[in-house]
Amino acid sequence: MSTTSCYSTVSANIGWTDKFVFVCLLALVDITCTLLLLNPDFTTAWNIRKELLQNGVLNPEKDLYLGKLALTKFPKSPETWIHRRWVLQQILHTFSDANHKKNEQGEREQANAVRSQQLSDHLARTLHQEMNVCSDAASRYPSNYNAWSHRVWVLQHMAKGNIKVFHDELSSMRLWVSMHVSDHSGFHYRQFLLNELITELCRASASTTWLAQQQSSTVSNSSLHQHSCTERNGELSGADTASEEERQFSLPTVLQLFLQEMELCSDLIQSFPGHETLWSHRRHIFFLWHQWRTEHQHNCHSKGENVPVDVSDGNPGMLVQSSVGQGESVNCKTHASEPMEVDTGLLPDPHDSKRLKRGVLPSCPPSLPSEHSFVSIILESCCNYEQRRFALAYKKWLGTVIGLQG
Amino acid sequence: MKLYSLSVIFKGATKANLLKAAYDLSSFSFFQRSSVQEFMTFTSALIVERTSQGTRASVKEQEYLCHVYVRNDNLGAVVIADTEYPQRVCFTLLDKVLEEFSRQVDSIDWPSGSPETINYKALDIHLSKYQNPREADAMTKVQAELDETKIILHNTMESLLERGEKLDDLVAKSEHLGNQSKAFYKTARKQNSCCEIM
């Protein structure tokens, strides 16, 4: 029998006043709070709080705050993270209920628009808060996969398919991974983000083509927005959402993502010699790139069409025609309004203190030859024993794993 | 990557004299902080005592790396970092701090000074700025200047001690450690977890 139903039964029998029962329930809130701050893995206490929440005695925000506090001392505590996900699910249910109610009422459009904006703002704030809690916990304990798994869960449930959120996450994580160069968990997260982004971008570009082909008909259920409205930031419903989104945020190309990631990796490898994590990350990214490029070329061959993705966020417009089957390199045409600077090497020269300017990327994508030349640069310039060892291992991997796949 | 403490210490004839120190204890839990600070002071002073003039060294202890430079004029500086933080940036920092300190504080004050009497305010700023090594320093520049082979590496604190000397005795005798910290050290030693904090 649950705690609260006990109380109901007891109070009915003895005739306790509602106020007294309520006071007891509040006491429970305090007691569980104290217990959990001492030992956040005390599952029973969290479960009591679940019941209190369901009976309206407890505000979900309070539980989130308690969890956040507990995590500052016990950043790995599995029960805290588990309970947190339960609370977030409750919050999400409340949102979708509110949304359905709004849709049913349907008449007063203006009020509805305001209401849905409020809801999605609240969701955005909750999302942002979760990201902060995860970051904090990850900083307090090395390789805190509990925190990172939670972060992934939050994105999958509260920002499904939201390219902008994933992209923002990728940018905001740059500093974290730069300050935790031997912590694989941060890089593992980046690999997840990249994977998701690539999947979504491919889907988006496929539907853009489809949309372009459906010019005449009104598209009310754009395949770009196949997920519930409440899960997107600042989204308006309607047929012209695609252009709205494009105006607010230009989709990065898959190539751009890979180039930026490789640049970050190279930069860190050169700045912090001798960290295996960085080399391991490089393998992941290069392998991902290699796979994607092979698949993509194959797909485009079979479809027989160009899928141009135009990008205009600060870069000179770069049009990537992906339907090329020319061996190692993909054809990059730059329609630049101003000349694009190209460094002498593909990657920054370690003896040159200037780094590649942000937003100006090398015009050629990663390839086996460029990777081999990167390894050579490292071996030439570096005297750190570990670094040399990792560089040579990477070279061997390139030869055995990638080379054999052709 | 993190820096935990930065101290300027004078290597006297018989013992080391702490002149100024800065700490970043934000990653430690609240109630541990005063003990942690004391241990860091204790460790820094001990390291300077056991490091010869004109030497640079790095001492590893659990997940901490203590980098020290004692100049020929017996002025020394110690920075305690984690194992991720690049070593060469630490030595740049030590050079910089010692140079600045010796310009601002007269050498006559070094043998007898204390953190209360010494007038040098930049230590906290340096510690905070160097938390991000790339912002604080051009890494490639440092690479060229420092000869890493000249830095002695000690794998434990014990290797600094003389034969027969025990760390436990030094802890018990230390004036840098309060009673609480000493008691904590004893308990931690007994549990064989050897001072989680240091």
Side-chain angles (χ1 to χ4, degrees):
Chain A
M1 231 203 281
S2 82
T3 329
T4 40
S5 62
C6 265
Y7 273 113
S8 318
T9 322
V10 169
S11 74
N13 289 338
I14 300 184
W16 287 353
T17 61
D18 284 337
K19 186 173 176 184
F20 185 68
V21 170
F22 195 65
V23 166
C24 287
L25 292 176
L26 285 183
L28 261 185
V29 170
D30 285 340
I31 292 168
T32 51
C33 182
T34 313
L35 282 172
L36 289 165
L37 286 173
L38 290 171
N39 178 10
D41 284 325
F42 194 163
T43 320
T44 311
W46 282 124
N47 287 342
I48 290 176
R49 288 181 82 89
K50 283 185 176 79
E51 289 178 23
L52 292 171
L53 220 144
Q54 281 173 326
N55 286 291
V57 178
L58 196 55
N59 184 344
E61 305 292 329
K62 279 254 162 67
D63 255 17
L64 289 179
Y65 186 70
L66 177 61
K68 179 175 164 180
L69 214 55
L71 289 167
T72 58
K73 184 145 200 274
F74 305 94
K76 284 212 307 179
S77 164
E79 291 302 321
T80 311
W81 292 113
I82 291 169
H83 180 79
R84 208 174 176 83
R85 288 192 272 279
W86 183 89
V87 173
L88 288 170
Q89 272 174 333
Q90 300 300 301
I91 294 179
L92 287 176
H93 283 150
T94 325
F95 275 11
S96 62
D97 285 346
N99 234 16
H100 285 145
K101 254 204 315 207
K102 171 205 86 177
N103 285 337
E104 278 165 25
Q105 283 162 8
E107 286 180 2
R108 308 181 61 222
E109 274 190 35
Q110 205 182 22
N112 279 343
V114 169
R115 183 96 184 97
S116 81
Q117 184 63 37
Q118 278 176 346
L119 282 176
S120 62
D121 280 349
H122 190 159
L123 201 73
R125 272 199 306 276
T126 312
L127 179 74
H128 193 72
Q129 188 196 231
E130 285 312 300
M131 299 291 110
N132 284 340
V133 170
C134 292
S135 264
D136 197 63
S139 301
R140 285 175 194 272
Y141 194 89
S143 280
N144 188 348
Y145 278 98
N146 291 351
W148 293 107
S149 307
H150 181 80
R151 200 172 183 139
V152 164
W153 182 95
V154 168
L155 286 185
Q156 287 172 332
H157 288 75
M158 291 173 71
K160 202 163 160 58
N162 189 333
I163 294 175
K164 183 166 195 309
V165 167
F166 280 93
H167 198 241
D168 286 345
E169 275 291 285
L170 211 55
S171 322
S172 68
M173 278 289 104
R174 273 181 162 249
L175 183 63
W176 198 95
V177 297
S178 305
M179 297 293 282
H180 296 87
V181 289
S182 59
D183 192 336
H184 200 98
S185 56
F187 290 100
H188 184 255
Y189 183 62
R190 284 188 85 79
Q191 287 151 25
F192 158 75
L193 289 173
L194 227 78
N195 244 318
E196 292 295 305
L197 267 174
I198 290 163
T199 318
E200 286 304 318
L201 283 174
C202 286
R203 204 186 308 186
S205 70
S207 64
T208 313
T209 324
W210 179 76
L211 274 176
Q213 289 166 357
Q214 307 284 319
Q215 268 172 23
S216 47
S217 54
T218 349
V219 185
S220 54
N221 289 322
S222 161
S223 56
L224 262 176
H225 310 287
Q226 45 196 297
H227 317 285
S228 103
C229 290
T230 51
E231 289 175 4
R232 302 287 221 105
N233 299 338
E235 182 184 295
L236 312 161
S237 55
D240 57 349
T241 1
S243 50
E244 179 68 48
E245 179 120 326
E246 269 172 45
R247 264 180 269 144
Q248 285 174 0
F249 166 70
S250 333
L251 300 175
T253 60
V254 173
L255 175 65
Q256 262 192 320
L257 286 175
F258 275 115
L259 284 174
Q260 283 169 352
E261 198 62 27
M262 290 300 270
E263 187 216 346
L264 175 66
C265 200
S266 305
D267 187 25
L268 291 176
I269 285 177
Q270 287 167 327
S271 302
F272 303 107
H275 288 281
E276 190 164 27
T277 312
L278 299 172
W279 289 97
S280 170
H281 185 61
R282 199 181 184 86
R283 285 183 211 208
H284 271 101
I285 302 304
F286 189 69
F287 189 75
L288 211 64
W289 160 253
H290 187 81
Q291 256 189 336
W292 178 83
R293 204 189 57 197
T294 321
E295 270 174 28
H296 210 72
Q297 281 173 355
H298 181 76
N299 282 344
C300 288
H301 265 300
S302 58
K303 277 187 196 158
E305 60 186 27
N306 284 354
V307 185
V309 184
D310 201 5
V311 178
S312 54
D313 59 332
N315 287 354
M318 198 162 96
L319 220 67
V320 180
Q321 290 188 315
S322 43
S323 68
V324 188
Q326 291 182 16
E328 293 288 273
S329 58
V330 177
N331 221 2
C332 304
K333 289 198 184 145
T334 53
H335 290 259
S337 48
E338 61 214 35
M340 195 159 103
E341 282 181 59
V342 180
D343 269 294
T344 47
L346 188 63
L347 291 147
D349 179 4
H351 298 296
D352 182 354
S353 57
K354 282 191 222 147
R355 288 156 50 189
L356 270 181
K357 285 189 222 157
R358 213 159 271 294
V360 181
L361 297 164
S363 53
C364 288
S367 65
L368 259 184
S370 71
E371 285 303 287
H372 278 295
S373 76
F374 175 71
V375 173
S376 307
I377 292 172
I378 296 291
L379 289 171
E380 270 169 47
S381 62
C382 179
C383 46
N384 181 313
Y385 169 72
E386 297 283 297
Q387 181 86 323
R388 294 187 69 81
R389 199 160 62 88
F390 298 140
L392 289 168
Y394 182 65
K395 187 171 178 154
K396 190 170 177 189
W397 176 83
L398 285 172
T400 53
V401 178
I402 303 292
L404 287 180
Q405 293 193 359
Chain B
M1 50 189 72
K2 212 152 164 30
L3 294 179
Y4 300 103
S5 85
L6 179 59
S7 9
V8 179
I9 302 173
F10 179 73
K11 183 181 166 71
T14 46
K15 70 181 190 85
N17 186 21
L18 177 71
L19 294 173
K20 208 73 172 171
Y23 305 91
D24 183 340
L25 306 170
S26 52
S27 57
F28 297 98
S29 82
F30 185 76
F31 293 104
Q32 282 183 323
R33 284 176 198 178
S34 59
S35 273
V36 172
Q37 184 168 315
E38 285 175 10
F39 271 106
M40 289 190 170
T41 311
F42 165 75
T43 308
S44 303
L46 182 60
I47 288 176
V48 167
E49 261 174 44
R50 305 308 164 96
T51 304
S52 337
Q53 269 182 350
T55 317
R56 289 185 175 84
S58 297
V59 184
K60 191 173 189 322
E61 181 64 36
Q62 295 164 62
E63 69 265 33
Y64 302 96
L65 255 185
C66 313
H67 307 280
V68 58
Y69 176 34
V70 176
R71 299 196 321 188
N72 284 316
D73 56 6
N74 284 325
L75 190 65
V78 180
V79 62
I80 300 182
D82 67 6
T83 49
E84 236 184 29
Y85 197 97
Q87 189 194 39
R88 63 178 82 94
V89 180
C90 284
F91 285 107
T92 310
L93 173 59
L94 293 177
D95 282 347
K96 185 174 175 168
V97 163
L98 286 172
E99 204 218 339
E100 202 183 62
F101 186 89
S102 55
R103 271 188 283 122
Q104 288 183 14
V105 179
D106 206 43
S107 54
I108 204 121
D109 296 325
W110 298 350
S112 55
S114 73
E116 296 82 36
T117 60
I118 296 285
N119 185 15
Y120 175 66
K121 301 203 172 71
L123 221 50
D124 284 295
I125 300 170
H126 285 313
L127 184 65
S128 149
K129 186 163 168 249
Y130 271 77
Q131 289 295 354
N132 185 338
R134 296 207 290 177
E135 266 178 34
D137 239 303
M139 307 274 283
T140 48
K141 171 182 157 231
V142 186
Q143 203 169 356
E145 284 174 10
L146 200 64
D147 182 358
E148 286 177 4
T149 55
K150 294 228 180 83
I151 299 169
I152 303 172
L153 179 63
H154 296 274
N155 278 314
T156 59
M157 281 282 284
E158 254 87 24
S159 65
L160 285 173
L161 305 179
E162 277 150 48
R163 244 162 61 95
E165 241 187 340
K166 295 245 174 60
L167 199 58
D168 298 6
D169 298 333
L170 291 173
V171 167
K173 281 191 297 182
S174 170
E175 60 195 32
H176 293 293
L177 297 170
N179 287 328
Q180 203 177 5
S181 298
K182 290 183 186 176
F184 180 78
Y185 176 84
K186 261 205 212 144
T187 328
R189 266 300 209 199
K190 259 195 256 170
Q191 291 172 350
N192 211 31
S193 63
C194 189
C195 277
E196 275 172 11
I197 58 177
M198 200 59 214

